[in-house]
Amino acid sequence: MIAGCLALALALATDGQAGQTTPSPFELVRAQARLSGIYALIDAGAFAEAARQAEAAEAAAPSAALRSEAAFLLATARLRLGDAPGALQAAARADGHDRIAVLTLLGDAALRSGDVQAAADRFAEAYERAQAEGRSEAPGLLASMASARLAGGDPQTALRLSEAALQRMPEGEAVQRLFAAEVRAVALDRLGAPLDASQAFDAIALRRASLQGADHPATLFAAFNAASALFEGRRFQDALERREALLQRTVAALGEDHPLTALALENAAESRREAGLAAAAGDAHARAVAIYASAPGAGGAAGARARSAYGLHLLETGSPRLALDQLRRAFQAAPDGFADSGEIDRREAARRLVEAAYAVASQR
């Protein structure tokens, strides 16, 4: 094992620029171990700490290859925190990292930013490269292409692509298969079969729990989607009970300030509002907005979505001045396109903003 690491370190040592001191094999192995720790942080959902450590690792990297990998990890962590612009900036410095991985990340960042066409282009380029190189990522990239189709309002093609991805993936590619299954379940929901989608997400959550743990962010996210599909299927009480339980699980597992906690709060607010629990819904909306406000880039499109929902709640509960402030901020942060069907676009934000402004004017 040590010999293999030293061989890698010696190979990486040639990455240094002319005139610079060549790092020792020990320095390279230590830097690689540091990056391995950052991968573990990202997998565990500790995105803020991962971003902090990746930024430091990039600054201290002893080789160009390790510097690019650290930048890639920084971009990944920032994207998970909802900071798509910051992710794109870091990804631009990761040009020495695996090109297919970078293209996939750029596609994800474009989706978060609402640039559906750019996302589709990046995923397609990554897929073509993976196919040409015989890489195992190719079927998974079909699922990424399907996610772009969902964002572009084409669930039928998304369903076809996600099912093709599942057919082509080896059984051993468990995590990739779960991602493709999730995209397929979302497509089913968009095609008018929310209860089928909820059952699919329940199965995905169980599988993720066995592979990654019951409180892993990916497991929780699948459970969120199962509850949301129940809500879409008008199983409101079941959705409310699940969402309240999930909120408690998420806070216990990830803390009060995690982006997934904000999403759990948004979901709980939606169900509380449907159940007529206006005060409790408002509290959840406010807490979600506060979490996004403290995140890099104010949470990006997700933060804009949370502010828009909170603004609408304030407008409906007789606080148009407060609503106007939230909706104005949502409009300023909203992307030009859709990140997915749960995000807002600028046209919808503008409509709500005008409605709030009219309500304020009517009170004078």
Side-chain angles (χ1 to χ4, degrees), residues 337-359:
F338 290 97
D340 63 43
S341 72
E343 310 289 9
I344 62 169
D345 69 350
R346 292 178 66 83
R347 291 167 298 176
E348 177 65 9
R351 184 187 68 77
R352 294 177 178 180
L353 184 59
V354 169
E355 186 178 350
Y358 181 78

Side-chain angles (χ1 to χ4, degrees), residues 29-354:
V29 171
R30 183 174 61 182
Q32 186 64 66
R34 186 178 190 180
L35 296 182
S36 296
I38 298 169
Y39 278 109
L41 286 171
I42 291 172
D43 186 59
F47 306 133
E49 179 61 17
R52 187 187 68 79
Q53 292 199 22
E55 190 168 13
E58 183 184 2
S63 74
L66 291 172
R67 193 158 46 250
S68 287
E69 188 171 1
F72 173 78
L73 288 171
L74 177 58
T76 301
R78 284 181 173 169
L79 185 62
R80 299 296 184 271
L81 288 167
D83 182 13
L88 290 170
Q89 290 175 3
R93 302 192 300 273
D95 55 347
H97 190 59
D98 178 77
R99 185 59 183 163
I100 291 172
V102 172
L103 283 168
T104 304
L105 186 143
L106 289 172
D108 288 336
L111 270 188
R112 295 286 185 95
S113 300
D115 193 344
V116 174
Q117 188 56 56
D121 290 345
R122 297 294 84 74
F123 291 143
E125 184 181 350
Y127 175 72
E128 290 169 4
R129 283 175 177 262
Q131 281 282 85
E133 297 173 18
R135 296 270 291 268
S136 62
E137 297 97 318
L141 287 163
L142 278 177
S144 294
M145 293 166 66
S147 69
R149 289 288 191 165
L150 280 174
D154 185 4
Q156 191 65 58
T157 300
L159 181 64
R160 178 177 58 79
L161 286 171
S162 59
E163 289 181 341
L166 287 166
Q167 290 170 3
R168 298 183 194 183
M169 276 180 202
E171 289 295 331
E173 297 289 346
V175 174
Q176 283 197 43
R177 288 187 65 84
L178 285 169
F179 173 62
E182 285 170 333
V183 176
R184 178 181 179 274
V186 176
L188 287 172
D189 181 55
R190 305 279 170 82
L191 289 168
L195 297 183
D196 290 342
S198 183
Q199 289 182 351
F201 275 120
D202 278 336
I204 291 164
L206 284 173
R207 181 62 175 146
R208 283 202 180 276
S210 68
L211 288 172
Q212 298 168 288
D215 292 328
H216 188 279
T219 305
L220 292 169
F221 192 72
F224 290 176
N225 282 333
S228 293
L230 282 177
F231 187 89
E232 294 296 327
R234 304 189 67 78
R235 296 266 296 275
F236 298 127
Q237 185 60 35
D238 289 341
L240 174 63
E241 291 171 3
R242 285 206 194 192
R243 283 170 159 179
E244 294 292 349
L246 281 168
L247 175 57
Q248 298 307 312
R249 274 179 60 190
T250 306
V251 169
L254 302 177
E256 295 278 357
D257 300 323
H258 196 277
L260 275 187
T261 301
L263 182 58
L265 285 162
E266 289 183 79
N267 289 341
E270 182 181 52
S271 282
R272 291 173 184 180
R273 177 180 164 193
E274 178 63 34
L277 305 172
D283 176 66
H285 278 306
R287 289 169 61 193
V289 166
I291 293 171
Y292 286 124
S294 65
R305 178 196 62 219
R307 286 191 182 280
S308 179
Y310 188 27
L312 185 60
H313 169 82
L314 290 167
L315 189 61
E316 291 178 344
T317 53
S319 300
R321 290 184 183 280
L322 295 175
L324 185 60
D325 178 60
Q326 293 297 330
L327 291 168
R328 182 185 294 114
R329 296 186 187 190
F331 177 75
Q332 291 168 346
D336 290 330
F338 290 97
D340 63 43
S341 72
E343 310 289 9
I344 62 169
D345 69 350
R346 292 178 66 83
R347 291 167 298 176
E348 177 65 9
R351 184 187 68 77
R352 294 177 178 180
L353 184 59
V354 169

